[in-house]
Amino acid sequence: MPRTAAAVLRRAADGCADRLLAAQPVIRADSLMPDGDTPVHNARVACRRLRSDVRTFRRLLDEPWTRRVRANLKWLADLLGAARDAEVLRARLRETASPGSHWDEPPGGRPALAVGAFDEALRERAVSARADLLVALDSARFPLLVAMLGEPGFRGRARRPAADVLPALADVQVWKYEDAVADLTDEAPDEQWHEVRILAKRARYAVDLAGRRREAKQLAKVQSLLGEHQDAVVAAEAWRELSSADPETALRLIERERAAAERARAAFLATPSIPGR
């Protein structure tokens, strides 16, 4: 008997709960997941993915359950996001500050930029964000969220075979993404590029849940380019905010991030929006 749409969505909710529960003790231990990923990243992706799936397939889900789950996933995702952003920025700072030919600087072995003050500021952000996250994990709201994920409610066509229901809803996200890409240019503002990134992610998660694995992998490739663009934009803004520590170094960091953003734009625009589609 073919799997129902409800069974597929229940499995997605269970998967999110499992990843959150697996990440929780590792976050407390300030260690890494068995696959080498950080637990904050692992948990954040779980929240982000289920939030997207619930949004895409909400017609099949009980409305009160959908409302509660989305609100609570957003609460946790925001806390995870603050901690993850600090992780990413510290790693990116080391990369951006390192000498390299792709920065288009004069030859002669430029030394790495001195960014100790920037790293210390980011370390303080990370400590604060981790403290807030631990408070959340100790609160009653976290186990309630996990319990809620185990009790999804369904309506409408959810009892029909997944293959008859999910693809059409997934296609809506793909069309939104393709329409946004059609309006994208090299001169478009960063906010427009960020919106395309969000739509690419929703489309990728949607087609993956609908069982179109090849298409999901292809979307993941172009999404990585959009992610590199967004990381560079966010980093440039961070260095601007911290520029009082060392204005000259901040300027060079910002210039490098803008160059990275431009490279990502060019690479994305040279790639089919959904290769092979």
Side-chain angles (χ1 to χ4, degrees):
M1 184 175 181
R3 286 193 305 169
T4 64
V8 174
L9 292 167
R10 182 182 296 277
R11 183 177 179 182
D14 287 344
C16 178
D18 290 345
R19 291 181 74 174
L20 293 179
L21 289 173
Q24 181 189 21
V26 190
I27 290 173
R28 295 183 187 281
D30 199 16
S31 185
L32 295 176
M33 301 297 290
D35 62 0
D37 195 5
T38 73
V40 168
H41 182 229
N42 201 283
R44 187 189 189 191
V45 169
C47 287
R48 187 169 56 196
R49 175 159 192 151
L50 188 61
R51 284 180 69 196
S52 179
D53 288 341
V54 168
R55 179 189 180 98
T56 297
F57 302 105
R58 60 188 178 276
R59 295 181 185 178
L60 307 176
L61 295 163
D62 176 69
E63 189 174 350
W65 181 87
T66 297
R67 230 178 11 250
R68 292 195 303 272
V69 163
R70 288 185 66 182
N72 283 282
L73 284 174
K74 183 180 186 306
W75 161 74
L76 184 57
D78 286 347
L79 292 163
L80 290 163
R84 178 59 180 168
D85 287 348
E87 286 181 351
V88 171
L89 282 171
R90 292 190 78 187
R92 191 165 186 99
L93 178 63
R94 290 189 290 272
E95 177 186 347
T96 307
S98 299
S101 59
H102 57 296
W103 299 128
D104 296 326
E105 293 185 339
R110 284 284 186 98
L113 299 180
V115 292
F118 295 88
D119 188 61
E120 177 58 24
L122 293 175
R123 188 193 68 79
E124 291 175 2
R125 284 191 191 181
V127 169
S128 176
R130 173 177 163 75
D132 291 342
L133 179 57
L134 290 176
V135 169
L137 294 178
D138 286 333
S139 73
R141 193 170 180 179
F142 179 74
L144 285 175
L145 167 60
V146 173
M148 198 182 307
L149 294 176
E151 301 173 350
F154 301 100
R155 60 176 177 156
R157 297 170 293 163
R159 302 298 175 184
R160 293 176 56 187
D164 294 344
V165 178
L166 299 183
L169 294 174
D171 279 338
V172 172
Q173 298 304 320
V174 175
W175 295 333
K176 287 180 178 180
Y177 163 68
E178 291 182 320
D179 285 346
V181 171
D183 293 332
L184 197 61
T185 67
D186 187 48
E187 294 79 21
D190 293 333
E191 294 77 12
Q192 187 174 344
W193 278 82
H194 181 46
E195 180 62 24
V196 172
R197 173 176 175 260
I198 291 172
L199 293 174
K201 198 174 298 183
R202 287 178 188 164
R204 172 193 166 194
Y205 293 153
V207 298
D208 190 49
L209 197 71
R212 287 152 38 185
R213 303 288 186 260
R214 181 171 174 270
E215 195 172 337
K217 289 180 179 178
Q218 293 164 339
L219 271 165
K221 293 177 182 178
V222 292
Q223 182 193 325
S224 68
L225 296 172
L226 294 165
E228 166 60 19
H229 177 271
Q230 180 64 11
D231 285 350
V233 169
V234 170
E237 183 57 32
W239 313 147
R240 189 173 289 109
E241 291 174 0
L242 300 172
S243 61
S244 59
D246 184 342
E248 183 179 350
T249 297
L251 179 60
R252 291 181 64 189
L253 288 170
I254 292 167
E255 288 173 346
R256 290 178 174 189
E257 297 294 1
R258 291 311 312 181
E262 291 304 318
R263 287 195 300 273
R265 287 187 178 211
F268 177 81
L269 292 174
T271 304
S273 58
I274 304 182
R277 183 174 169 80

PDB file of all heavy atoms in Angstrom, residues 6 25 30 44 49 58 73 79 99-100 109 140 143-144 157 168 170 195 221 230 263 273:
ATOM      1  N   ALA A   6       0.140  11.983   4.963  1.00  0.00           N
ATOM      2  CA  ALA A   6       0.217  12.123   6.423  1.00  0.00           C
ATOM      3  C   ALA A   6       1.418  11.368   6.975  1.00  0.00           C
ATOM      4  O   ALA A   6       2.120  11.863   7.868  1.00  0.00           O
ATOM      5  CB  ALA A   6      -1.075  11.614   7.066  1.00  0.00           C
ATOM      6  N   PRO A  25      22.036  17.306  24.297  1.00  0.00           N
ATOM      7  CA  PRO A  25      23.150  17.037  25.210  1.00  0.00           C
ATOM      8  C   PRO A  25      24.508  17.457  24.657  1.00  0.00           C
ATOM      9  O   PRO A  25      25.420  17.795  25.420  1.00  0.00           O
ATOM     10  CB  PRO A  25      23.079  15.510  25.412  1.00  0.00           C
ATOM     11  CG  PRO A  25      22.358  14.996  24.214  1.00  0.00           C
ATOM     12  CD  PRO A  25      21.377  16.068  23.843  1.00  0.00           C
ATOM     13  N   ASP A  30      29.087  21.276  24.858  1.00  0.00           N
ATOM     14  CA  ASP A  30      29.902  22.151  24.009  1.00  0.00           C
ATOM     15  C   ASP A  30      30.866  21.316  23.165  1.00  0.00           C
ATOM     16  O   ASP A  30      32.063  21.597  23.068  1.00  0.00           O
ATOM     17  CB  ASP A  30      30.681  23.156  24.857  1.00  0.00           C
ATOM     18  CG  ASP A  30      31.169  24.346  24.039  1.00  0.00           C
ATOM     19  OD1 ASP A  30      30.660  24.536  22.914  1.00  0.00           O
ATOM     20  OD2 ASP A  30      32.067  25.068  24.507  1.00  0.00           O
ATOM     21  N   ARG A  44      19.550  23.748  14.259  1.00  0.00           N
ATOM     22  CA  ARG A  44      18.984  24.864  13.505  1.00  0.00           C
ATOM     23  C   ARG A  44      18.438  24.402  12.161  1.00  0.00           C
ATOM     24  O   ARG A  44      17.351  24.814  11.745  1.00  0.00           O
ATOM     25  CB  ARG A  44      20.040  25.941  13.294  1.00  0.00           C
ATOM     26  CG  ARG A  44      19.499  27.205  12.657  1.00  0.00           C
ATOM     27  CD  ARG A  44      20.619  28.144  12.282  1.00  0.00           C
ATOM     28  NE  ARG A  44      20.130  29.450  11.865  1.00  0.00           N
ATOM     29  CZ  ARG A  44      20.885  30.373  11.291  1.00  0.00           C
ATOM     30  NH1 ARG A  44      22.184  30.136  11.071  1.00  0.00           N
ATOM     31  NH2 ARG A  44      20.388  31.533  10.948  1.00  0.00           N
ATOM     32  N   ARG A  49      14.111  23.362   8.498  1.00  0.00           N
ATOM     33  CA  ARG A  49      13.521  22.472   7.498  1.00  0.00           C
ATOM     34  C   ARG A  49      12.058  22.179   7.811  1.00  0.00           C
ATOM     35  O   ARG A  49      11.202  22.241   6.925  1.00  0.00           O
ATOM     36  CB  ARG A  49      14.312  21.174   7.429  1.00  0.00           C
ATOM     37  CG  ARG A  49      13.677  20.174   6.488  1.00  0.00           C
ATOM     38  CD  ARG A  49      14.632  19.135   6.023  1.00  0.00           C
ATOM     39  NE  ARG A  49      14.017  18.394   4.924  1.00  0.00           N
ATOM     40  CZ  ARG A  49      14.678  17.812   3.952  1.00  0.00           C
ATOM     41  NH1 ARG A  49      15.985  17.901   3.904  1.00  0.00           N
ATOM     42  NH2 ARG A  49      14.054  17.149   3.014  1.00  0.00           N
ATOM     43  N   ARG A  58       0.885  23.155   4.571  1.00  0.00           N
ATOM     44  CA  ARG A  58      -0.047  23.505   5.642  1.00  0.00           C
ATOM     45  C   ARG A  58      -1.493  23.137   5.314  1.00  0.00           C
ATOM     46  O   ARG A  58      -2.306  22.942   6.232  1.00  0.00           O
ATOM     47  CB  ARG A  58       0.060  24.988   5.989  1.00  0.00           C
ATOM     48  CG  ARG A  58      -0.242  25.942   4.851  1.00  0.00           C
ATOM     49  CD  ARG A  58       0.100  27.383   5.261  1.00  0.00           C
ATOM     50  NE  ARG A  58      -0.126  28.342   4.181  1.00  0.00           N
ATOM     51  CZ  ARG A  58       0.761  28.592   3.218  1.00  0.00           C
ATOM     52  NH1 ARG A  58       1.916  27.944   3.197  1.00  0.00           N
ATOM     53  NH2 ARG A  58       0.491  29.486   2.285  1.00  0.00           N
ATOM     54  N   LEU A  73       8.804  26.610  16.860  1.00  0.00           N
ATOM     55  CA  LEU A  73      10.008  26.372  16.078  1.00  0.00           C
ATOM     56  C   LEU A  73      10.734  27.686  15.805  1.00  0.00           C
ATOM     57  O   LEU A  73      11.973  27.738  15.834  1.00  0.00           O
ATOM     58  CB  LEU A  73       9.668  25.683  14.755  1.00  0.00           C
ATOM     59  CG  LEU A  73       9.341  24.192  14.816  1.00  0.00           C
ATOM     60  CD1 LEU A  73       8.882  23.697  13.452  1.00  0.00           C
ATOM     61  CD2 LEU A  73      10.547  23.379  15.297  1.00  0.00           C
ATOM     62  N   LEU A  79      16.942  31.489  18.634  1.00  0.00           N
ATOM     63  CA  LEU A  79      18.013  31.312  19.615  1.00  0.00           C
ATOM     64  C   LEU A  79      19.182  30.525  19.016  1.00  0.00           C
ATOM     65  O   LEU A  79      20.356  30.870  19.221  1.00  0.00           O
ATOM     66  CB  LEU A  79      17.471  30.584  20.853  1.00  0.00           C
ATOM     67  CG  LEU A  79      16.476  31.398  21.687  1.00  0.00           C
ATOM     68  CD1 LEU A  79      15.693  30.480  22.610  1.00  0.00           C
ATOM     69  CD2 LEU A  79      17.215  32.464  22.491  1.00  0.00           C
ATOM     70  N   PRO A  99      45.773  35.570   4.136  1.00  0.00           N
ATOM     71  CA  PRO A  99      46.228  36.012   2.817  1.00  0.00           C
ATOM     72  C   PRO A  99      45.828  35.000   1.760  1.00  0.00           C
ATOM     73  O   PRO A  99      45.742  33.813   2.024  1.00  0.00           O
ATOM     74  CB  PRO A  99      47.750  36.074   2.984  1.00  0.00           C
ATOM     75  CG  PRO A  99      48.055  35.110   4.083  1.00  0.00           C
ATOM     76  CD  PRO A  99      46.880  35.174   5.023  1.00  0.00           C
ATOM     77  N   GLY A 100      45.561  35.479   0.549  1.00  0.00           N
ATOM     78  CA  GLY A 100      45.190  34.564  -0.526  1.00  0.00           C
ATOM     79  C   GLY A 100      45.114  35.291  -1.849  1.00  0.00           C
ATOM     80  O   GLY A 100      44.749  36.466  -1.908  1.00  0.00           O
ATOM     81  N   GLY A 109      53.171  38.282  -0.822  1.00  0.00           N
ATOM     82  CA  GLY A 109      52.973  37.603   0.453  1.00  0.00           C
ATOM     83  C   GLY A 109      52.417  38.494   1.538  1.00  0.00           C
ATOM     84  O   GLY A 109      53.028  38.632   2.602  1.00  0.00           O
ATOM     85  N   ALA A 140      10.541  24.829  30.242  1.00  0.00           N
ATOM     86  CA  ALA A 140       9.477  23.857  29.980  1.00  0.00           C
ATOM     87  C   ALA A 140       9.047  23.884  28.515  1.00  0.00           C
ATOM     88  O   ALA A 140       8.445  22.925  28.019  1.00  0.00           O
ATOM     89  CB  ALA A 140       8.279  24.158  30.881  1.00  0.00           C
ATOM     90  N   PRO A 143      10.726  20.795  25.998  1.00  0.00           N
ATOM     91  CA  PRO A 143      10.086  19.469  25.929  1.00  0.00           C
ATOM     92  C   PRO A 143       8.658  19.517  25.403  1.00  0.00           C
ATOM     93  O   PRO A 143       8.191  18.560  24.777  1.00  0.00           O
ATOM     94  CB  PRO A 143      10.140  18.974  27.386  1.00  0.00           C
ATOM     95  CG  PRO A 143      10.389  20.178  28.207  1.00  0.00           C
ATOM     96  CD  PRO A 143      11.171  21.115  27.359  1.00  0.00           C
ATOM     97  N   LEU A 144       7.964  20.628  25.646  1.00  0.00           N
ATOM     98  CA  LEU A 144       6.620  20.758  25.081  1.00  0.00           C
ATOM     99  C   LEU A 144       6.664  20.804  23.560  1.00  0.00           C
ATOM    100  O   LEU A 144       5.811  20.224  22.885  1.00  0.00           O
ATOM    101  CB  LEU A 144       5.946  22.014  25.635  1.00  0.00           C
ATOM    102  CG  LEU A 144       5.450  21.942  27.074  1.00  0.00           C
ATOM    103  CD1 LEU A 144       4.922  23.297  27.530  1.00  0.00           C
ATOM    104  CD2 LEU A 144       4.369  20.870  27.224  1.00  0.00           C
ATOM    105  N   ARG A 157      -6.652  16.242   2.263  1.00  0.00           N
ATOM    106  CA  ARG A 157      -6.127  15.165   1.426  1.00  0.00           C
ATOM    107  C   ARG A 157      -4.939  14.432   2.036  1.00  0.00           C
ATOM    108  O   ARG A 157      -4.288  13.636   1.356  1.00  0.00           O
ATOM    109  CB  ARG A 157      -5.722  15.746   0.070  1.00  0.00           C
ATOM    110  CG  ARG A 157      -6.868  16.344  -0.726  1.00  0.00           C
ATOM    111  CD  ARG A 157      -6.343  17.100  -1.930  1.00  0.00           C
ATOM    112  NE  ARG A 157      -5.599  18.295  -1.528  1.00  0.00           N
ATOM    113  CZ  ARG A 157      -4.770  18.967  -2.318  1.00  0.00           C
ATOM    114  NH1 ARG A 157      -4.556  18.545  -3.553  1.00  0.00           N
ATOM    115  NH2 ARG A 157      -4.142  20.043  -1.893  1.00  0.00           N
ATOM    116  N   ALA A 168       2.328  18.429  -6.278  1.00  0.00           N
ATOM    117  CA  ALA A 168       1.690  19.669  -6.729  1.00  0.00           C
ATOM    118  C   ALA A 168       1.955  20.807  -5.742  1.00  0.00           C
ATOM    119  O   ALA A 168       2.184  21.957  -6.145  1.00  0.00           O
ATOM    120  CB  ALA A 168       0.188  19.456  -6.886  1.00  0.00           C
ATOM    121  N   ALA A 170       4.552  20.971  -3.751  1.00  0.00           N
ATOM    122  CA  ALA A 170       5.981  21.284  -3.876  1.00  0.00           C
ATOM    123  C   ALA A 170       6.236  22.173  -5.081  1.00  0.00           C
ATOM    124  O   ALA A 170       7.073  23.087  -5.034  1.00  0.00           O
ATOM    125  CB  ALA A 170       6.796  19.999  -3.981  1.00  0.00           C
ATOM    126  N   GLU A 195      16.128  37.056  -0.515  1.00  0.00           N
ATOM    127  CA  GLU A 195      14.798  36.494  -0.710  1.00  0.00           C
ATOM    128  C   GLU A 195      14.844  35.307  -1.670  1.00  0.00           C
ATOM    129  O   GLU A 195      14.162  34.283  -1.444  1.00  0.00           O
ATOM    130  CB  GLU A 195      13.852  37.568  -1.252  1.00  0.00           C
ATOM    131  CG  GLU A 195      12.431  37.080  -1.503  1.00  0.00           C
ATOM    132  CD  GLU A 195      11.724  36.600  -0.254  1.00  0.00           C
ATOM    133  OE1 GLU A 195      12.103  37.028   0.867  1.00  0.00           O
ATOM    134  OE2 GLU A 195      10.785  35.786  -0.386  1.00  0.00           O
ATOM    135  N   LYS A 221      22.843  22.614  -4.860  1.00  0.00           N
ATOM    136  CA  LYS A 221      24.066  23.168  -5.453  1.00  0.00           C
ATOM    137  C   LYS A 221      23.936  24.674  -5.691  1.00  0.00           C
ATOM    138  O   LYS A 221      24.840  25.437  -5.362  1.00  0.00           O
ATOM    139  CB  LYS A 221      24.379  22.450  -6.770  1.00  0.00           C
ATOM    140  CG  LYS A 221      24.764  20.987  -6.596  1.00  0.00           C
ATOM    141  CD  LYS A 221      24.988  20.317  -7.949  1.00  0.00           C
ATOM    142  CE  LYS A 221      25.320  18.840  -7.772  1.00  0.00           C
ATOM    143  NZ  LYS A 221      25.483  18.156  -9.087  1.00  0.00           N
ATOM    144  N   GLN A 230      25.031  35.319   0.869  1.00  0.00           N
ATOM    145  CA  GLN A 230      24.453  35.844   2.102  1.00  0.00           C
ATOM    146  C   GLN A 230      25.474  35.875   3.233  1.00  0.00           C
ATOM    147  O   GLN A 230      25.508  36.831   4.031  1.00  0.00           O
ATOM    148  CB  GLN A 230      23.237  35.004   2.501  1.00  0.00           C
ATOM    149  CG  GLN A 230      22.545  35.466   3.773  1.00  0.00           C
ATOM    150  CD  GLN A 230      21.945  36.849   3.674  1.00  0.00           C
ATOM    151  OE1 GLN A 230      21.855  37.417   2.581  1.00  0.00           O
ATOM    152  NE2 GLN A 230      21.526  37.395   4.797  1.00  0.00           N
ATOM    153  N   ARG A 263      31.581  37.517  -6.505  1.00  0.00           N
ATOM    154  CA  ARG A 263      31.935  36.233  -7.131  1.00  0.00           C
ATOM    155  C   ARG A 263      30.764  35.261  -7.055  1.00  0.00           C
ATOM    156  O   ARG A 263      30.476  34.534  -8.005  1.00  0.00           O
ATOM    157  CB  ARG A 263      33.171  35.633  -6.454  1.00  0.00           C
ATOM    158  CG  ARG A 263      34.477  36.334  -6.783  1.00  0.00           C
ATOM    159  CD  ARG A 263      35.677  35.474  -6.377  1.00  0.00           C
ATOM    160  NE  ARG A 263      35.689  35.196  -4.948  1.00  0.00           N
ATOM    161  CZ  ARG A 263      36.245  35.998  -4.033  1.00  0.00           C
ATOM    162  NH1 ARG A 263      36.816  37.127  -4.403  1.00  0.00           N
ATOM    163  NH2 ARG A 263      36.228  35.670  -2.757  1.00  0.00           N
ATOM    164  N   SER A 273      19.008  27.884 -12.939  1.00  0.00           N
ATOM    165  CA  SER A 273      18.372  28.016 -11.634  1.00  0.00           C
ATOM    166  C   SER A 273      18.070  26.658 -11.009  1.00  0.00           C
ATOM    167  O   SER A 273      18.196  26.480  -9.806  1.00  0.00           O
ATOM    168  CB  SER A 273      17.072  28.827 -11.750  1.00  0.00           C
ATOM    169  OG  SER A 273      16.176  28.221 -12.668  1.00  0.00           O
TER     170      SER A 273
END
